[in-house]
Amino acid sequence: MEATFLQVSWFVLFGVLLIGYTILDGFDLGAGVLSLFEKSPESKRKIALAIGPVWDGNEVWLLTAGGALFAAFPAVYASVFSGFYLAFMLLLVFLILRAVALEFAASIEKPAWRRFWDVGFGLGSLGPSLLFGVALANIIRGLPLDAQGNYLGSFFDLLNPYALLAGLQSLAMFICHAAIYLMIKTEGDLENRMHKTASKAWIFWLVLFLACTGASIFIADERMHAAFEHALIWPVLAMLAVSLAMIPLSLRRGKAKSAFFWSSAAMTSQIAVIGLSLYPVLVPASNDPNLSLTIVNASSSQNTLSVMLIIAAIGMPLVIGYTIYMYRTFKGKIHPESLHHP
């Protein structure tokens, strides 16, 4: 059965939401990880202030992506969320820890209190950064499914070497992205350190990306072949190569905003490559390709997809508009006087 326009549209829309979350919450998560390596309480405070006005708005994209998956492809939602139940609970614990740490760290002016929540903020960011790559790698690799689409493995099966390698790649990607963002938002010694960190993190990002790509040839060869059957793969790969090459060039020239643009473009390209390698499959079945969940056999009814697309057409501009307004309102460097406020 051929995929309909609505099913393809929701596949693309879900990808757009995932890209939005990766770019926006990616630097939030990376900033939290970087804060673990800062010794000065003032530097930790600057990092928290840099993302303070925007981090919770960025997470809206994750919630929206989850809602879109539930509305458009409920079978996939049920399979993934039940199969990854322990992983998602762990992710939820990390995200709650990060949110609570950001709110509580400045509530009491005691060094021990701040240190405790600063560590919580860092660990709450480190976990999701790793789990993001682990989750995507397991989807690319394929999951053992039964005839009803239920996951047949265990939580520890998800922590395979390929997935952990992808987790390290997503961690390096988020750290590089965050360091560039902090270059835009900070001044002085912290900005200089973030410049050096971004350059080093980019090297790890590139090396781990190439390692993941090489591993995918052997572990997910079907997906690799499927990607190259699409005419769009070549412009996407070209954009990915150019974006990755332009990041260090922009950093060398001291153009942080340009580097952030190219970092975002590289992340977009990577998600697009994954989408092209999977289409029209959403969850490949590693034990039997016929059991895979696709945009055809896992989608809602055409009527549901139509109604939800109308709602999305109304809601998405609001989300995008709010995001633009938020970043325009809080643009520019952190003001020194902000350090004296919780």
Side-chain angles (χ1 to χ4, degrees):
M1 184 183 295
E2 290 291 327
T4 66
F5 169 77
L6 289 171
Q7 291 166 338
V8 175
S9 297
W10 275 102
F11 180 85
V12 174
L13 181 58
F14 177 73
V16 170
L17 292 170
L18 188 61
I19 288 169
Y21 173 74
T22 305
I23 293 173
L24 297 177
D25 210 34
F27 70 75
D28 281 352
L29 295 172
V33 176
L34 287 171
S35 71
L36 287 171
F37 302 96
E38 289 294 327
K39 297 180 180 179
S40 165
E42 183 177 318
S43 296
K44 292 177 181 289
R45 184 68 179 140
K46 286 180 179 179
I47 291 175
L49 286 170
I51 68 168
V54 298
W55 72 268
D56 47 355
N58 293 341
E59 288 193 352
V60 169
W61 289 79
L62 178 62
L63 298 175
T64 307
L69 188 65
F70 174 75
F73 306 107
V76 173
Y77 182 92
S79 177
V80 171
F81 275 72
S82 60
F84 292 6
Y85 185 78
L86 185 56
F88 277 118
M89 289 304 298
L90 187 60
L91 174 63
L92 188 60
V93 169
F94 281 128
L95 293 177
I96 291 173
L97 176 61
R98 183 175 69 136
V100 172
L102 279 169
E103 296 297 331
F104 280 17
S107 61
I108 298 178
E109 292 296 332
K110 290 184 178 180
W113 176 270
R114 281 184 176 272
R115 284 196 297 271
F116 176 81
W117 289 114
D118 284 342
V119 172
F121 172 49
L123 294 179
S125 303
L126 176 63
S129 299
L130 288 167
L131 289 174
F132 180 82
V134 168
L136 286 181
N138 276 290
I139 295 297
I140 296 171
R141 181 172 178 258
L143 302 173
L145 303 175
D146 64 16
Q148 287 72 46
N150 299 312
Y151 174 58
L152 299 176
S154 67
F155 169 73
F156 294 102
D157 292 332
L158 301 175
L159 302 179
N160 54 81
Y162 175 64
L164 293 175
L165 179 64
L168 291 175
Q169 195 260 155
S170 69
L171 176 62
M173 179 175 69
F174 286 169
I175 289 176
C176 179
H177 195 52
I180 295 171
Y181 178 78
L182 291 173
M183 286 175 60
I184 298 172
K185 299 297 291 183
T186 60
E187 297 176 315
D189 291 340
L190 182 57
E191 181 183 4
N192 293 333
R193 287 200 302 277
M194 290 300 108
H195 185 279
K196 295 177 182 178
T197 299
S199 300
K200 293 177 181 178
W202 173 82
I203 296 174
F204 284 103
W205 178 4
L206 179 63
V207 171
L208 289 167
F209 167 72
L210 294 175
C212 285
T213 302
S216 299
I217 296 175
F218 299 98
I219 295 173
D221 58 320
E222 290 184 12
R223 254 68 72 197
M224 294 292 286
H225 288 138
F228 283 94
E229 290 179 359
H230 294 278
L232 289 174
I233 191 64
W234 296 111
V236 170
L237 287 176
M239 185 172 77
L240 176 57
V242 170
S243 301
L244 287 172
M246 287 300 297
I247 293 172
L249 291 177
S250 298
L251 290 173
R252 199 171 298 125
R253 295 169 183 170
K255 296 182 178 180
K257 291 183 179 179
S258 175
F260 188 81
F261 169 82
W262 290 114
S263 177
S264 301
M267 296 164 80
T268 299
S269 303
Q270 282 192 246
I271 299 294
V273 169
I274 294 173
L276 290 173
S277 67
L278 289 171
Y279 180 85
V281 177
L282 287 165
V283 181
S286 58
N287 52 327
D288 183 357
N290 295 319
L291 299 177
S292 298
L293 298 176
T294 71
I295 64 173
V296 176
N297 64 22
S299 74
S300 297
S301 67
Q302 292 295 298
N303 184 54
T304 300
L305 294 178
S306 299
V307 173
M308 290 304 300
L309 192 60
I310 294 173
I311 295 174
I314 298 172
M316 279 300 295
L318 295 176
V319 173
I320 294 171
Y322 166 76
T323 302
I324 294 173
Y325 173 77
M326 180 174 61
Y327 279 91
R328 287 182 61 87
T329 301
F330 296 102
K331 66 181 179 180
K333 301 282 186 179
I334 299 170
H335 297 296
E337 58 270 20
S338 300
L339 296 175
H340 305 294
H341 296 280

